């Protein structure tokens, strides 16, 4: 189901009060008990509204109540990456309907520093993540009970790192105290800080088969680090791919009779709005599309893109693409040339490429020669001008601002961490 972008209350859902069933009166409590309804913490859960007599409306409410939990995630999603996608996957598993609130550029700049992506880019990126049911643009930076009630949400979800206001307050303090806060595990080995560093240092240390250079190791220990130490949230760590993680992200579905198998290939590096726009248009080419994305090896991407590309290694790019709602399957380490064997193996009906330059294979041949010969090749204009190169240029242009942002962010987090330690709480990362 494609998510909707809403700026107001979703008319398809109503609270208990909307169906005349507040759950607070003795009569309502008796009805709940007689219909074997859940007793604890149910008031305010979302139910489907239908204009029926009171008794039937309560019955509908009771039935839907037991299966429809609405959760919300409020955050920045700056430089959307597979760590964010994994957070949303975990959040979606906690309920039945996931609403994601995304902050404006102004709010992020005020509380954290300059965002890498614009708010419009971030809205669309989050919409494209397959676990998201609905997106709320311009979400308030501080999550309140009023906000949860406005969107009929039972609870909100955030990672087990912290989000602080400009004056160092926990943005989820109010909902935590009300017992309407849930926490998911942060994905170890990925952060905006790390990705920014890869772009600034022009290093290849992040490629899957290469050792971390001394220069990158020094960066990993010190980039944007404020005086006084480093906390467990802001910093650089190593991502370790596992089969379990791929299974969690993969759809597990094979092409069905009547579906059109469409093959696309590329680096899909720093998975961004340009990729999303392209894949969305590819997805619309058929009534029942099954889109397979072939991801090239790191060394192959580096051959045709140069510099320190890809910024994300093959394992990281795999998760980024698998999280996209327009992609059904990913070929990890696809051959650069689309061969007859590949087309036959996947029973490909159509091969698509964007408007970017098609670099010849190592032997000088056209990598799309075979699908062109078969008459199944299409070039698709995504309509987006954003490229990985442009994202890198944004980072380089604002390097000092991003370093200052990390220092400011870490200083606030360290102060908050010290307060947590005094209360006996410890943060943790995801171990898979």
């Amino acid at each position: 189901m494609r998510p909707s972008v809403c700026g107001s209350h979703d008319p398809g859902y109503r609270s208990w009060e909307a169906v005349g069933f507040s759950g607070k009166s003795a009569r309502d409590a008796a009805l709940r008990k007689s219909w074997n309804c859940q007793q604890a913490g149910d008031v305010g859960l979302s139910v489907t509204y239908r204009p029926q007599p009171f008794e039937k409306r309560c019955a509908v409410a009771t039935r839907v109540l037991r299966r429809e939990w609405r959760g919300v995630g409020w955050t920045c999603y700056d430089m959307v990456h597979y760590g964010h996608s994994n957070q949303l996957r975990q959040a979606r598993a906690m309920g039945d309907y996931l609403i994601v609130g995304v902050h404006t550029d102004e709010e992020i700049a005020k509380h954290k520093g300059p965002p890498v992506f614009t708010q419009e880019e971030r809205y669309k990126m989050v919409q494209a993540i397959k676990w998201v049911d609905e997106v709320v643009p311009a979400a308030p930076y501080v999550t309140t009970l009023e906000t949860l009630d406005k969107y009929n949400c039972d609870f909100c979800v955030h990672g087990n790192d912290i989000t602080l206001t400009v004056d160092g307050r926990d943005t989820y303090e109010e909902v935590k105290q009300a017992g309407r806060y849930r926490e998911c595990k942060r994905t170890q080995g990925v952060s905006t800080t790390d990705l920014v560093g890869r772009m600034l240092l022009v290093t290849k240390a992040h490629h899957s088969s290469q050792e971390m250079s001394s220069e990158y190791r020094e960066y990993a220990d010190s980039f944007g680090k404020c005086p006084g130490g480093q906390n467990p949230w802001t910093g650089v760590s190593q991502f370790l791919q596992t089969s379990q993680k791929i299974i969690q992200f993969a759809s597990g579905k094979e092409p069905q009779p009547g579906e059109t198998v469409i093959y696309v290939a590329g680096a899909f590096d720093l998975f961004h709005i340009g990729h999303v726009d392209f894949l969305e248009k590819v997805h619309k080419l058929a009534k029942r599309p099954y889109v397979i994305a072939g991801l090239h090896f790191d060394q192959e991407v580096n051959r045709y893109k140069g510099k320190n590309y890809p910024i994300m290694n093959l394992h990281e790019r795999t998760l980024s693409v698998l999280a996209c709602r327009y992609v059904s399957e990913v070929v990890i380490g696809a051959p650069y040339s689309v061969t007859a064997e590949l087309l036959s193996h996947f029973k490909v009906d159509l091969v698509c490429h964007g408007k970017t330059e098609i670099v010849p294979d190592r032997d000088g041949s056209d990598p799309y020669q075979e699908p062109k010969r078969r008459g199944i090749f299409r070039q698709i204009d995504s309509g987006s001008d954003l490229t990985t190169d442009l994202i890198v240029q944004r980072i380089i242009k604002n390097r000092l601002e991003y370093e200052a942002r990390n220092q400011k962010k870490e200083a606030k987090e360290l102060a908050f961490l010290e307060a947590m330690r005094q209360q006996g709480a410890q943060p943790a990362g995801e171990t898979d």
Side-chain angles (χ1 to χ4, degrees):
M1 178 177 64
R2 181 180 172 84
S4 60
V5 180
C6 79
S8 61
H9 183 67
D10 179 358
Y13 292 90
R14 296 293 186 270
S15 65
W16 281 100
E17 287 78 0
V19 293
F21 187 42
S22 69
K24 298 175 182 178
S25 69
R27 180 197 63 176
D28 290 346
L31 285 171
R32 289 166 65 120
K33 186 174 181 181
S34 65
W35 284 331
N36 195 27
C37 185
Q38 296 180 39
Q39 297 294 310
D42 289 344
V43 176
L45 289 182
S46 303
V47 297
T48 302
Y49 173 80
R50 291 176 185 155
Q52 299 175 349
F54 173 74
E55 291 79 7
K56 290 186 178 180
R57 279 185 272 151
C58 291
V60 170
T62 305
R63 176 176 59 79
V64 176
L65 173 66
R66 290 202 294 265
R67 63 179 177 85
E68 180 73 5
W69 287 75
R70 285 162 68 92
V72 63
W74 254 221
T75 191
C76 303
Y77 295 108
D78 190 22
M79 191 176 284
V80 181
H81 51 66
Y82 62 91
H84 296 130
S85 300
N86 192 38
Q87 176 195 12
L88 295 174
R89 178 190 65 80
Q90 294 178 72
R92 185 62 172 77
M94 295 179 186
D96 303 289
Y97 193 89
L98 179 61
I99 301 174
V100 181
V102 183
H103 308 316
T104 63
D105 294 344
E106 182 180 1
E107 283 277 65
I108 297 175
K110 175 183 176 182
H111 295 280
K112 294 184 66 174
V116 177
F117 288 115
T118 68
Q119 60 195 42
E120 296 302 326
E121 290 168 344
R122 289 182 287 110
Y123 297 156
K124 194 160 188 178
M125 283 295 296
V126 174
Q127 287 178 53
I129 297 174
K130 62 186 178 183
W131 296 289
V132 176
D133 295 301
E134 186 177 328
V135 173
V136 175
Y141 198 78
V142 176
T143 305
T144 63
L145 294 175
E146 180 183 359
T147 301
L148 295 189
D149 292 339
K150 177 180 178 181
Y151 296 101
N152 250 346
C153 291
D154 310 302
F155 55 86
C156 67
V157 183
H158 193 261
N160 57 353
D161 53 345
I162 55 173
T163 302
L164 304 175
T165 62
V166 66
D167 56 358
R169 292 188 300 109
D170 183 353
T171 59
Y172 293 96
E173 182 178 359
E174 181 177 326
V175 292
K176 285 178 178 178
Q177 291 178 352
R180 294 174 68 179
Y181 175 82
R182 303 288 186 275
E183 204 163 76
C184 59
K185 294 179 180 179
R186 180 181 181 274
T187 304
Q188 199 72 11
V190 61
S191 67
T192 302
T193 305
D194 186 15
L195 297 176
V196 167
R198 298 179 192 183
M199 289 181 263
L200 291 176
L201 291 177
V202 198
T203 176
K204 298 180 185 179
H206 53 280
H207 291 177
S208 53
S209 63
Q210 303 208 16
E211 293 294 326
M212 184 181 289
S213 66
S214 58
E215 180 186 22
Y216 190 73
R217 196 175 296 278
E218 181 181 353
Y219 161 80
D221 291 337
S222 63
F223 177 74
K225 185 175 176 181
C226 71
Q230 188 172 15
N231 71 60
W233 301 304
T234 298
V236 179
S237 58
Q238 184 179 8
F239 171 68
L240 299 175
Q241 181 69 287
T242 65
S243 58
Q244 180 63 28
K245 185 61 63 195
I246 294 177
I247 291 171
Q248 289 171 343
F249 273 58
S251 68
K253 298 178 181 177
E254 296 185 351
Q256 300 300 307
E259 289 185 326
T260 301
V261 178
I262 307 174
Y263 182 77
V264 299
F268 292 99
D269 194 17
L270 287 179
F271 196 72
H272 54 70
I273 193 64
H275 298 133
V276 169
D277 285 339
F278 167 71
L279 291 169
E280 183 180 14
K281 288 199 172 184
V282 168
H283 194 266
K284 290 180 178 179
L285 291 176
K287 289 185 177 180
R288 297 179 58 198
Y290 186 94
V291 179
I292 301 176
L295 302 189
H296 300 143
F297 283 112
D298 297 338
Q299 290 70 29
E300 190 65 58
V301 175
N302 189 250
R303 177 188 70 83
Y304 64 80
K305 288 188 67 75
K307 300 179 183 177
N308 63 328
Y309 293 117
I311 302 300
M312 285 183 165
N313 66 46
L314 178 59
H315 300 307
E316 297 171 317
R317 291 183 284 121
T318 296
L319 295 185
S320 297
V321 177
L322 280 174
C324 180
R325 68 175 61 251
Y326 306 118
V327 175
S328 303
E329 180 64 287
V330 167
V331 180
I332 305 173
Y336 185 66
S337 288
V338 182
T339 63
E341 290 78 11
L342 184 148
L343 296 175
S344 299
H345 179 80
F346 292 107
K347 297 180 175 59
V348 176
D349 299 303
L350 188 63
V351 176
C352 296
H353 183 78
K355 292 295 185 179
T356 55
E357 179 189 4
I358 299 176
V359 178
D361 205 343
R362 295 175 187 272
D363 61 1
S365 63
D366 181 352
Y368 293 99
Q369 179 178 328
E370 181 60 25
K372 287 178 179 179
R373 186 188 69 79
R374 298 189 183 194
I376 60 172
F377 178 78
R378 292 272 301 272
Q379 274 200 289
I380 305 297
D381 185 356
S382 70
S384 174
D385 296 326
L386 187 64
T387 64
T388 305
D389 279 328
L390 288 177
I391 295 172
V392 173
Q393 288 174 24
R394 291 182 186 180
I395 296 294
I396 293 174
K397 180 181 177 181
N398 298 293
R399 173 171 184 160
L400 294 179
E401 286 186 86
Y402 288 122
E403 289 180 347
R405 181 181 80 168
N406 286 341
Q407 291 178 358
K408 177 182 176 182
K409 179 174 180 285
E410 187 169 21
K412 289 192 298 181
E413 289 173 351
L414 283 169
F416 192 85
L417 180 60
E418 181 58 32
M420 286 178 63
R421 283 177 176 158
Q422 291 178 5
Q423 297 175 6
Q426 292 292 333
E430 184 183 12
T431 58
D432 227 314

